[in-house]
Amino acid sequence: MARAWLLVLVSMVSHGKEPATLADLEVLASKGAFAEVLERAEDVAPSARSDAWKSMVTNAAAAVVKSAAVTKDAFAPALEADALAKRHPFLSEREAFTKARDGAVVSAAQRCFKEGDGELAPRGDKSEPCWKTLAAFEPTLSPSGSLDLGRALRKNGALPGRVTALYAKAAAKDAGACKDADVQDVVVASLDSPVDGAAAIAARSVAFTTCWTAVQPKLKAAMVSASAYRLQNVCKPMRKKKALSALQEDLCQDESQ
């Protein structure tokens, strides 16, 4: 309790005004003053931070991320979201906020492509390339955000191996992703890579665990003129599932010799 009052007193000093109550925050939110809601949200003592308070902070954070100014740095809104998530960890569990954060990351990637004439451009005047920054944000994406980013990357010419992990994350939580034609194409294409590589490992997870029913027809068709890598990736798991035809079994036997 003493710590809670200390936080309130610190907030009073920093704002130079009486600490805001939940009712005050509701008024600010009703006026669209979302930045001020976030600025003064911690005026409310920890013991009084109810679900209503969390919902208000969530909506304010999502609004601030969506309206964040994009400067030379395409990732400015995403960085704003990252800072807010660190300040209020519960935000990462709130759909309204994760959608805004995902949207900021996808928008940044699209801007990178646009400004780079089809390639990921540098981050403004910073030396770190856009693609490297994008990779750092990918673990924070929700499953739907991972699918959206994968689609954006593919639209701009990314090779299958670049987006396999994104699609695997999406499919693990969303069965609908398994029926997506590009997800299936990426999975099959990524099986044409070394068996111990990240792309092949992710592709096998999707093909033989997460999305087996949906991907099976395309996998069986892909056995025709299959590369050595593809056979190495698919023969054992397909045999285990008793999904190999006699001809396919012969192909797999040839590969194992």
Side-chain angles (χ1 to χ4, degrees):
M1 182 62 72
R3 179 174 175 79
W5 277 109
L6 177 60
L7 289 172
V8 172
L9 289 173
V10 169
S11 180
M12 289 174 64
V13 172
S14 63
H15 294 306
K17 59 185 76 172
E18 290 295 319
T21 64
L22 184 60
D24 293 330
L25 297 181
E26 290 173 347
V27 172
L28 291 171
S30 69
K31 295 180 179 179
F34 299 115
E36 190 171 357
V37 169
L38 295 177
E39 179 187 352
R40 306 196 66 189
E42 291 171 72
D43 285 5
V44 177
S47 60
R49 294 175 188 175
S50 61
D51 286 340
W53 178 87
K54 288 184 177 180
S55 294
M56 193 176 307
V57 171
T58 298
N59 293 334
V64 165
V65 170
K66 290 177 182 178
S67 63
V70 178
T71 58
K72 289 183 178 180
D73 188 348
F75 286 90
L79 288 167
E80 178 71 23
D82 188 52
L84 287 169
K86 289 178 180 177
R87 181 177 171 185
H88 301 293
F90 69 86
L91 288 174
S92 295
E93 301 175 359
R94 300 282 175 137
E95 185 177 3
F97 177 77
T98 57
K99 280 186 175 181
R101 180 182 60 190
D102 291 349
V105 175
V106 174
S107 294
Q110 292 171 330
R111 179 179 163 185
C112 287
F113 278 110
K114 182 178 179 181
E115 295 180 356
D117 292 328
E119 297 181 358
L120 288 174
R123 282 184 59 195
D125 58 355
K126 299 183 179 181
S127 60
E128 188 174 65
C130 220
W131 66 264
K132 189 174 182 180
T133 303
L134 177 62
F137 279 103
E138 288 176 28
T140 71
L141 293 171
S142 68
S144 61
S146 296
L147 185 61
D148 289 342
L149 179 59
R151 286 170 172 164
L153 292 174
R154 288 282 286 162
K155 184 178 180 180
N156 286 279
L159 295 175
R162 173 65 181 84
V163 301
T164 310
L166 290 167
Y167 282 170
K169 183 177 180 180
K173 296 292 185 180
D174 178 13
C178 295
K179 300 177 182 179
D180 186 284
D182 194 55
V183 171
Q184 295 182 9
D185 288 343
V186 161
V187 167
V188 172
S190 293
L191 293 170
D192 279 326
S193 59
V195 293
D196 56 352
I201 291 171
R204 290 198 303 273
S205 174
V206 175
F208 301 109
T209 302
T210 311
C211 300
W212 167 245
T213 301
V215 179
Q216 181 182 359
K218 189 162 289 189
L219 279 173
K220 291 179 73 69
M223 292 290 286
V224 178
S225 301
S227 67
Y229 278 143
R230 184 174 298 178
L231 292 175
Q232 290 167 12
N233 276 302
V234 307
C235 284
K236 287 183 179 179
M238 287 189 71
R239 183 180 293 118
K240 186 176 181 180
K241 289 181 174 293
K242 303 184 185 307
L244 292 172
S245 67
L247 178 58
Q248 291 167 346
E249 184 64 58
D250 287 341
L251 290 172
C252 288
Q253 288 293 339
D254 290 343
E255 177 56 33
S256 63
Q257 292 178 357

